[in-house]
Amino acid sequence: MTAASNSSTDAASVSHVRKPRWYRSTFYNALVLGLVNFLAPGIWGAMNSLGAGGQASPHLVNAANALTFCLMVISCFFSSALVNLIGIKPVLIIGTMGYAPYAAGLYTNNRFGTEWFVLVGAALCGLSAGIFWMAEAAIALAYPEPQNQGKFLGLWLSFRVGGQLIGGAVNLGINSKLGSAGKVSYKVYIVFIILQSLAPFAGLLLTPPKKVERSDGRPVRLAIQGSNRGELIATAKLFISREFLLIVPLIAQAVYSEAVMFTYLSLWFSVRARALGSFLSAIVALTGGNILGWFLDHKPISLKVRARSAFFIVLTLQGAWWIWSTILTTRFDRTRPTFDWDDAGFGSAFALFLFLVLSFQLQYLYLYFVVGHLARTPEEVVRIAGLLRGTESASQAVSYGLGSIESFGRVGSSALNFGLWGIALVPAWFVVRDIGGRLGDRREERERAVVASEKTDGTAAAEEEQDPPRSSLEKEAV
């Protein structure tokens, strides 16, 4: 069957589909997933976007974040087995529960100087955040209709940036008169703790996969079947597959920059300039991410062209910003400035931070577009989401760990990120060039396979009802 006939068949089937109920629709679930993201990692990002979690020195917070991401590598790997046991929605809810203790650790450190609780909170966050990251990524890849994938990703990630936006606004209001280096007010953390404590309750609003109603009428299948041992083996095999190994450097380079840019903000800017950076960078990232999401969904342009053109645009911008960052941080290491917004040289230094955050958002969204076209089955969606998030966590553990070393955090991190960018280009291109080509459109093929499987199961069930199994005596009589 040709692509044209497939499209006409789909169009005919969609015209007979009942309009989704709003509380079962993919748009509703994008909002819920975004809300949960805002309350958990979004607020975590808000704290980090203040630079060093809002502390005067970045080194303790960088060490704590390194611990968080080390534990996330482990929890990400076992996350698909957990989905096999209890399902995707409970995993998402459980995964939100470790974020508030981390915020509480930063509060006690900020107000009382306590350091051990920061590390305890970081450990609890790492154990839960790994499975949360996998669950939200799998939902973001599996729930939306193929033609809405990019917009779903853009909306979902907008909420994450929304946490940074709200956090920056709150902090800017409280610290707008503090034009020197230092730490933010402890009152900011009280707001953060309250918001993160609401995340598990927001997760209860998510529609389970089997009950999601899509505009194309296709079912959502997001479950794991089989033994946990078999699931772990399947996950390991997917990790060593050609396509995934080739994008590992791209994943590592994309997320390594988070610690770099927030350490940069904390080292070279005043408290109120950091708050302004948190606020404005969120607006820039939110706008850019949604524009890229719209482009990646733009069907008049072929999938191959969309994949390749986005790759060249996003990676070219990344290279430019890291060259600029390496030049500036080398200069700042000699001059040791603390920029406030009315200082000479503030504009150039501050603009770099905004561009780094924008590039992080663009490349992060693009990563999900790429891995969404690598998974062949619904089961692989869960596995590849866990592997993606586990690889991210490993890279960020190294990034925050090296950032906790004072000399490396000032200059070395930017230079290393620039090197990672160069290493990632060629392997990633070998995968990107095949999307819409040798790999086809795996997202669409996966959707069709689910529909065919549902029809087969439905036919078999109907036949069984019409012709129930006969006893052995009945068979002998026949």
Side-chain angles (χ1 to χ4, degrees), residues 24-26 29 88 138-146 152 206-223 378-379 381-382 443 446-447 450-451 454:
R24 294 278 189 261
S25 67
T26 55
N29 283 285
I88 195 75
I139 291 167
L141 292 173
Y143 271 37
E145 301 86 352
F152 190 105
L206 187 77
T207 305
K210 290 184 178 180
K211 294 184 178 180
V212 174
E213 297 175 4
R214 293 170 37 163
S215 59
D216 58 9
R218 292 175 173 178
V220 174
R221 181 176 292 179
L222 193 56
E379 291 79 11
V381 170
V382 177
R443 177 77 166 85
R446 193 168 67 240
E447 295 285 331
V450 170
V451 172
E454 291 286 328

Side-chain angles (χ1 to χ4, degrees), residues 322-379:
W322 289 116
I323 292 172
W324 186 7
S325 176
T326 303
I327 293 171
L328 285 187
T329 54
T330 302
R331 183 194 307 163
F332 295 163
D333 189 45
R334 294 194 305 268
T335 59
R336 302 297 175 92
T338 299
F339 289 109
D340 193 36
W341 57 47
D342 53 3
D343 291 339
F346 171 79
S348 174
F350 189 75
L352 172 62
F353 174 72
L354 297 182
F355 286 130
L356 289 177
V357 175
L358 171 63
S359 289
F360 179 89
Q361 182 80 352
L362 294 178
Q363 188 164 348
Y364 202 64
L365 191 150
Y366 183 68
L367 274 178
Y368 281 90
F369 171 80
V370 172
V371 298
H373 285 87
L374 297 183
R376 297 179 179 86
T377 65
E379 291 79 11

Side-chain angles (χ1 to χ4, degrees), residues 20-37 89 92 136 139-140 142-145 152 155-156 159 202-214 220:
R21 289 169 287 185
W22 67 268
Y23 57 91
R24 294 278 189 261
S25 67
T26 55
F27 177 74
Y28 164 82
N29 283 285
L31 291 177
V32 172
L33 187 65
L35 177 61
V36 178
N37 191 294
K89 180 176 177 178
L92 180 78
E136 67 163 356
I139 291 167
Y143 271 37
E145 301 86 352
F152 190 105
L155 181 60
W156 162 53
F159 276 87
L204 295 172
L205 301 175
L206 187 77
T207 305
K210 290 184 178 180
K211 294 184 178 180
V212 174
E213 297 175 4
R214 293 170 37 163
V220 174

Side-chain angles (χ1 to χ4, degrees), residues 275-294:
L276 180 65
S278 175
F279 180 74
L280 291 182
S281 63
I283 296 175
V284 171
L286 190 152
T287 304
N290 281 284
I291 291 173
L292 178 61
W294 173 85

Side-chain angles (χ1 to χ4, degrees), residues 10-192:
D10 285 351
S13 62
V14 169
S15 64
H16 294 92
V17 174
R18 183 182 68 179
K19 183 179 180 181
R21 289 169 287 185
W22 67 268
Y23 57 91
R24 294 278 189 261
S25 67
T26 55
F27 177 74
Y28 164 82
N29 283 285
L31 291 177
V32 172
L33 187 65
L35 177 61
V36 178
N37 191 294
F38 164 76
L39 293 171
I43 297 299
W44 183 93
M47 291 185 286
N48 277 276
S49 69
L50 301 176
Q55 306 303 308
S57 170
H59 308 302
L60 172 64
V61 173
N62 282 343
N65 287 341
L67 173 62
T68 294
F69 286 111
C70 282
L71 292 173
M72 285 175 67
V73 174
I74 300 172
S75 56
C76 279
F77 183 77
F78 290 99
S79 57
S80 63
L82 188 59
V83 172
N84 187 29
L85 287 174
I86 61 176
I88 195 75
K89 180 176 177 178
V91 168
L92 180 78
I93 294 171
I94 293 171
T96 65
M97 295 179 179
Y99 284 93
Y102 177 64
L106 291 181
Y107 168 79
T108 57
N109 177 251
N110 183 287
R111 189 170 186 183
F112 307 113
T114 306
E115 294 187 353
W116 65 266
F117 194 21
V118 175
L119 299 176
V120 171
L124 292 174
C125 184
L127 291 173
S128 69
I131 62 173
F132 174 83
W133 273 26
M134 178 285 305
E136 67 163 356
I139 291 167
L141 292 173
Y143 271 37
E145 301 86 352
Q147 70 272 17
N148 292 325
Q149 178 76 81
K151 291 187 283 291
F152 190 105
L153 291 173
L155 181 60
W156 162 53
L157 292 177
S158 292
F159 276 87
R160 180 180 183 180
V161 177
Q164 180 178 326
L165 181 67
I166 300 300
V170 170
N171 188 43
L172 186 60
I174 293 175
N175 297 287
S176 60
K177 296 181 180 180
L178 193 54
S180 60
K183 60 185 180 181
V184 305
S185 169
Y186 69 85
K187 297 176 183 177
V188 175
Y189 295 100
I190 297 174
V191 178
F192 290 159

